[in-house]
Every structure is written in structure tokens, then in C-alpha cells.
């Protein structure tokens, strides 16, 4: 074989290996079906009997509903594909938003509470605000500039009053300043703000983090904490006890053992919830109406992140519930079915 021919063969093999490696990295990092033991099996009877239910739509989009009032965390439904996010400007899809409003009766939503301003939490914020003119949009100054970019009415916008309870029907909600998951090569804007109204379409990188918040939700004796990001402020939650913890686990397995231990110490082990529900584990490049899948290996090892959480929860006898589809899950403790 000539040197020239050998070089071409080597180049071909290298390209083949690179393609094979990329195909692998884009595969789901495990199967949701492997965690069937922890998956919630929908019970229409339980949800109808419960005074408070929640639906999970992926990432950290959670719809709390007591039959009269709804509050929505983030509200991200338009899921642009990975190629769109990387190579195009992205925007909310009005048809998808209108369908979700109709299907989920979002006209009863009194507030959309935003955890931080990255696109997978805020892309649909302005469209929701325009279509729900009686709904308050609550977030950081960066979040409100995303809403302003879509011409949401000024009277709907409320900048978060940290640690000050807000009331919506029977819900009392307190925003707690928090920390975002540690930065990555493509997510390296922590603390940066959106200083002007952000119009869509826009590059995903224009959706700056703009500070992160957890939400403490109290409703008729039941206490919930929503912590979307995989990080915590030391000792911040030490005086809290909650019944249900919605805990972000994105990138948990990619962190050091010390970080993992500290994160779970500051959240799960400090709060001692009866139930922990992992969030921000799904592949948000897939359409919202498709079954949830784990993030691809390129982004995370979700299977391992979930195993880390389950092991820590079982050590303290906290029940793990995996919500893998947007069904009503009862938050009344005595109605929470075993997975």
C-alpha cells in the first residue's frame, strides 16, 4: 500500500470513528424504563381526591393546581431541536402555546414564576404573558426583559421580591435566591444579565442566566420546594422542612464526588422531605408532546445522576417519585401512591 493510499485509509477510519462517537453521544444516557420501580402510575381517583396536584412537563416546568388557582413554574413548551439551538435563532411557537393553554386550562394561572433566564426556562414567557393577560410574570430583571421583548403589558410584570411571601389564591410563594448549576463550555454566563428587552427570534446565548431562584410553595399545610438547578447556597435551607422536594439533577454525575455530597447535604439531607421528585433530567430538544427521555450522553449521564439521588434518598427513607409524563400527581401526602 502506498503512503498516499494509507493516509486516505487512515483519514477515512478517523472520520468513521468521529461519526460513530457523535452518534453515541447523541443517544439517551440510559432508558427511563430502567427506573420503572420509581415511576408514578397515574391514578385518576387520587388526583380527583387531592386538594393539590402538580404536572411535570420536563426541565423545570411544573403546573400546580388546586382546582381553582394554578401557578406555573417556568412554562417552557416550545422545544427547539438541538440543531436549531446550535445553528439558528430560536423563538416561541404560538400554536404550541395556544394548544397548551387549551389543554391545561391555563386561563386559571395566576402567576408564572421563573427560576432563571436561560432559554429552556423562558423561551415561551412572552407568548404566555400575551395570551394570559391576567397572569403575573415573576422573575429577575433579566426575565422581565424577555417578557418586555415580547410586549407583555407592564402591569403583568413583577420583579422578584426575594424572601418576601407572595399570595395567589390559596398559594403562598417565597422566592429564595439560589445558585445555578456549575458552568459548562456552552453555558458559561452565570451572573450575566439581560439589560435590554430581548426580542425573538434570538440566539440561545442571548438568554443570559440573570440570577437563579428556588421557590418555596405553601398550600393549606403542605410545603413544597422547587430547586431547578444543581447547586445550593451553603446553609441557606437549614431552617426549612418540606413535604415534597422537586430537585434538579442536571449534570450531577459530571461533578466531583465532593460536589455531589455537598449538594445532597444542602438539599435532600437538610430538608428531609417525605418525597423527592427529580427534575431537569430530560432531553429538552425533543417535542413536548413526546414521551420524556434522558438527556443525551453529550449533555449528561442522567442514568448515573438519578442513581446518585436514589441512593441518597433511600438512605434516609425519602421516597423517590419519577414523573415521566404530564399527569396529575397528588401532593396530599396520604394520597401519594407508591410508584
Amino acid at each position: 500500500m502506498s503512503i498516499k493510499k494509507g493516509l486516505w485509509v487512515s483519514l477515512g477510519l478517523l472520520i468513521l470513528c468521529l461519526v460513530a462517537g457523535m452518534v453515541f453521544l447523541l443517544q439517551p444516557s440510559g432508558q427511563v424504563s430502567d427506573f420503572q420501580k420509581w415511576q408514578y402510575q397515574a391514578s385518576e381517583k387520587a388526583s380527583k381526591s387531592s386538594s393539590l396536584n402538580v404536572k411535570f412537563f420536563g426541565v423545570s416546568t411544573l403546573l400546580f393546581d388546586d382546582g381553582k388557582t394554578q401557578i406555573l413554574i417556568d412554562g417552557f413548551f416550545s422545544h427547539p431541536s438541538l440543531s436549531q439551538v446550535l445553528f439558528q435563532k430560536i423563538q416561541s411557537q404560538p400554536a404550541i402555546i395556544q394548544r397548551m393553554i387549551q389543554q391545561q386550562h391555563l386561563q386559571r394561572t395566576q402567576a408564572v414564576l421563573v427560576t432563571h433566564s436561560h432559554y429552556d426556562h423562558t423561551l415561551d414567557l412572552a407568548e404566555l404573558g400575551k395570551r394570559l393577560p391576567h397572569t403575573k410574570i415573576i422573575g429577575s430583571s433579566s426575565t422581565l426583559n424577555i417578557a418586555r421583548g415580547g410586549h407583555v403589558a407592564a402591569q403583568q410584570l413583577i420583579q422578584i421580591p426575594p424572601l418576601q411571601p407572595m399570595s395567589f389564591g390559596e398559594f403562598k410563594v417565597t422566592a429564595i435566591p439560589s445558585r445555578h448549576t456549575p458552568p459548562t463550555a456552552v453555558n458559561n454566563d452565570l451572573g450575566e444579565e439581560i439589560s435590554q428587552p430581548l426580542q425573538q427570534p434570538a440566539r440561545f446565548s442571548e438568554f443570559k442566566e440573570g440570577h437563579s431562584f428556588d421557590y418555596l410553595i405553601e398550600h393549606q399545610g403542605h410545603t413544597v420546594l422547587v430547586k431547578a438547578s444543581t447547586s445550593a447556597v451553603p446553609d441557606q435551607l437549614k431552617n426549612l422542612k418540606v413535604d415534597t422536594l422537586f430537585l434538579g439533577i442536571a449534570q450531577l454525575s459530571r461533578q466531583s464526588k465532593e460536589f455531589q455530597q455537598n449538594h445532597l447535604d444542602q438539599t435532600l439531607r437538610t430538608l428531609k422531605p417525605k418525597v423527592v421528585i427529580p427534575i431537569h433530567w430530560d432531553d429538552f430538544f425533543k417535542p413536548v408532546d413526546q414521551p420524556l427521555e434522558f438527556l443525551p450522553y453529550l449533555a449528561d449521564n442522567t442514568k448515573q445522576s438519578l442513581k446518585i439521588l436514589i441512593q441518597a434518598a433511600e438512605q434516609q427513607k425519602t421516597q423517590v417519585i419519577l414523573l415521566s409524563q404530564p399527569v396529575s400527581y397528588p401532593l396530599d401526602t396520604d394520597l401519594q401512591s407508591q410508584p
Side-chain angles (χ1 to χ4, degrees), residues 237-254:
L237 307 175
K238 65 180 180 180
N239 294 321
L240 290 180
K241 290 292 180 287
V242 301
D243 299 296
T244 306
L245 170 63
F246 291 86
L247 185 63
I249 61 169
Q251 292 280 317
L252 181 61
S253 63
R254 298 280 175 91

Side-chain angles (χ1 to χ4, degrees), residues 36 38-44 46-47 321-325 327-330 335-339:
Q36 189 171 3
W38 294 274
Q39 287 188 56
Y40 174 64
Q41 305 301 318
S43 169
E44 186 175 349
S47 62
I321 295 289
L322 183 63
L323 299 179
S324 57
Q325 51 186 325
V327 297
S328 290
Y329 174 70
L335 293 173
Q336 291 176 340
S337 302
Q338 293 291 326

Side-chain angles (χ1 to χ4, degrees), residues 176-179 214 225 227 229-242 245-248 252 257-273 276 309 312 316:
I176 303 173
S178 189
R179 287 180 177 171
D214 305 331
L225 185 74
K227 172 172 270 300
S229 295
T230 310
S231 191
V233 177
D235 297 327
Q236 187 180 48
L237 307 175
K238 65 180 180 180
N239 294 321
L240 290 180
K241 290 292 180 287
V242 301
L245 170 63
F246 291 86
L247 185 63
L252 181 61
K257 295 291 185 183
E258 181 182 4
F259 182 98
Q260 293 171 13
Q261 174 79 19
N262 181 66
H263 179 61
L264 293 170
D265 282 346
Q266 296 292 335
T267 57
L268 183 71
R269 298 184 183 105
T270 293
L271 294 167
K272 296 180 172 58
V276 60
L309 174 63
Q316 66 179 45

Side-chain angles (χ1 to χ4, degrees), residues 107-143:
Q107 295 86 352
R108 292 190 288 110
T109 302
Q110 288 200 14
V112 180
L113 302 132
V114 181
T115 57
H116 62 275
S117 299
H118 284 150
Y119 89 90
D120 53 325
H121 303 261
T122 60
L123 184 64
D124 294 319
L125 190 63
E127 194 65 34
L128 283 166
K130 286 186 293 186
R131 291 175 182 268
L132 300 171
H134 302 294
T135 300
K136 300 299 184 185
I137 305 297
I138 299 170
S140 68
S141 60
S142 294
T143 292

Side-chain angles (χ1 to χ4, degrees), residues 50-53 64-71 168-173 216-224 243 331-332:
S50 178
S51 63
L52 179 62
N53 293 289
F64 293 89
D65 191 339
D66 67 0
K68 296 179 181 179
T69 302
Q70 295 176 339
I71 59 172
F168 308 100
E170 296 293 323
F171 291 94
K172 184 170 78 171
V173 183
L216 180 69
I217 301 170
E218 299 170 86
H219 184 280
Q220 296 182 350
H222 194 96
T223 306
V224 172
D243 299 296
L331 289 171
D332 289 349

Side-chain angles (χ1 to χ4, degrees), residues 133-326:
H134 302 294
T135 300
K136 300 299 184 185
I137 305 297
I138 299 170
S140 68
S141 60
S142 294
T143 292
L144 299 190
N145 272 327
I146 294 171
R148 291 186 184 105
H151 307 292
V152 176
Q155 62 267 26
Q156 291 179 252
L157 307 182
I158 299 176
Q159 187 163 337
I160 285 176
L163 304 177
Q164 299 297 313
M166 300 169 281
S167 294
F168 308 100
E170 296 293 323
F171 291 94
K172 184 170 78 171
V173 183
T174 305
I176 303 173
S178 189
R179 287 180 177 171
H180 191 274
T181 306
T184 64
V186 295
N187 185 17
N188 166 9
D189 62 353
L190 305 192
E192 293 184 28
E193 298 190 8
I194 303 169
S195 58
Q196 299 292 328
L198 178 61
Q199 295 184 343
Q200 298 183 23
R203 296 288 181 186
F204 85 92
S205 57
E206 295 180 71
F207 292 81
K208 306 297 184 182
E209 182 243 353
H211 306 298
S212 295
F213 295 89
D214 305 331
Y215 287 100
L216 180 69
I217 301 170
E218 299 170 86
H219 184 280
Q220 296 182 350
H222 194 96
T223 306
V224 172
L225 185 74
V226 177
K227 172 172 270 300
S229 295
T230 310
S231 191
V233 177
D235 297 327
Q236 187 180 48
L237 307 175
K238 65 180 180 180
N239 294 321
L240 290 180
K241 290 292 180 287
V242 301
D243 299 296
T244 306
L245 170 63
F246 291 86
L247 185 63
I249 61 169
Q251 292 280 317
L252 181 61
S253 63
R254 298 280 175 91
Q255 309 303 323
S256 67
K257 295 291 185 183
E258 181 182 4
F259 182 98
Q260 293 171 13
Q261 174 79 19
N262 181 66
H263 179 61
L264 293 170
D265 282 346
Q266 296 292 335
T267 57
L268 183 71
R269 298 184 183 105
T270 293
L271 294 167
K272 296 180 172 58
K274 298 179 179 71
V275 174
V276 60
I277 299 175
I279 57 175
H280 217 329
W281 53 263
D282 58 293
D283 184 351
F284 47 86
F285 304 114
K286 302 288 185 181
V288 71
D289 57 358
Q290 290 187 7
L292 297 184
E293 294 183 359
F294 288 164
L295 280 163
Y297 284 106
L298 182 65
D300 201 358
N301 185 341
T302 306
K303 182 176 182 178
Q304 184 59 28
S305 296
L306 194 49
K307 284 183 174 180
I308 292 168
L309 174 63
I310 289 171
Q311 182 180 24
E314 289 182 342
Q315 287 175 353
Q316 66 179 45
K317 302 190 184 324
T318 290
Q319 184 181 7
V320 178
I321 295 289
L322 183 63
L323 299 179
S324 57
Q325 51 186 325

